[in-house]
């Protein structure tokens, strides 16, 4: 009986992973909009528009070439993208399980590290 349950769970996890990779992630904070997706060459791309710039304008920051991974298991599994520019690393993650309670409408988190030291993070919220 245990083996029969493992196959559907594994297939479900693969299906969710494929959807997340194809869709990327949009992170909206009070000060910026971040879009993580794949460019035409299939490379991860990080684009940021600081408020009040609309997404129809050129992004304020764009980084092409980053990493995409998954962390957690089961209901805590979530996608994590990481991009570097100079000594700064930007990490955008989907909503997994956290030690703190996310605000209502949270969809993920944006974090910034400088010289591998955590500097600040913001919740991504749907608007």
């Amino acid at each position: 009986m245990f083996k029969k349950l493992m196959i559907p769970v594994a297939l479900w996890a693969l299906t969710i992973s494929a959807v997340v990779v194809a869709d990327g992630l949009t992170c909206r904070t009070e000060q910026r909009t971040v879009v993580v997706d794949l460019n035409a060459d299939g490379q991860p791309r990080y684009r940021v528009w600081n408020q009040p710039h609309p997404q129809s304008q050129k992004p304020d920051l764009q980084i092409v070439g980053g990493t995409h991974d998954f962390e957690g298991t089961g209901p805590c599994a979530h996608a994590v993208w990481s991009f570097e520019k100079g000594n700064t690393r930007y990490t955008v993650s989907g909503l997994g399980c956290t030690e703190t309670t996310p605000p209502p409408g949270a969809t993920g988190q944006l974090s910034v590290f400088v010289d591998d030291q955590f500097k600040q993070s913001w919740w991504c919220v749907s608007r």
Side-chain angles (χ1 to χ4, degrees):
M1 182 170 169
F2 183 71
K3 290 181 181 179
K4 290 180 184 177
L5 292 175
M6 290 298 292
I7 294 171
V9 171
L11 291 175
W12 172 80
L14 289 173
T15 302
I16 295 300
S17 299
V19 170
V20 173
V21 171
D23 292 342
L25 188 126
T26 298
C27 176
R28 291 182 176 89
T29 71
E30 287 185 20
Q31 299 174 350
R32 61 193 50 86
T33 299
V34 176
V35 174
V36 175
D37 59 6
L38 300 177
N39 69 5
D41 296 328
Q43 294 180 305
R45 175 175 59 177
Y46 175 87
R47 294 180 290 162
V48 179
W49 291 265
N50 296 321
Q51 297 301 333
H53 298 144
Q55 284 180 257
S56 59
Q57 292 182 354
K58 180 180 174 184
D60 294 297
L61 173 64
Q62 177 170 286
I63 303 171
V64 176
T67 62
H68 176 247
D69 205 356
F70 289 92
E71 292 182 358
T73 59
C76 294
H78 60 283
V80 178
W81 290 269
S82 206
F83 300 87
E84 293 186 13
K85 182 166 184 161
N87 65 338
T88 305
R89 184 176 77 236
Y90 304 91
T91 302
V92 182
S93 60
L95 194 60
C97 296
T98 64
E99 293 179 11
T100 59
T101 303
T107 59
Q109 197 165 31
L110 166 64
S111 301
V112 176
F113 300 82
V114 178
D115 293 325
D116 288 328
Q117 299 292 315
F118 172 78
K119 290 299 177 187
Q120 192 167 2
S121 68
W122 301 267
W123 289 107
C124 306
V125 292
S126 57
R127 291 192 240 177

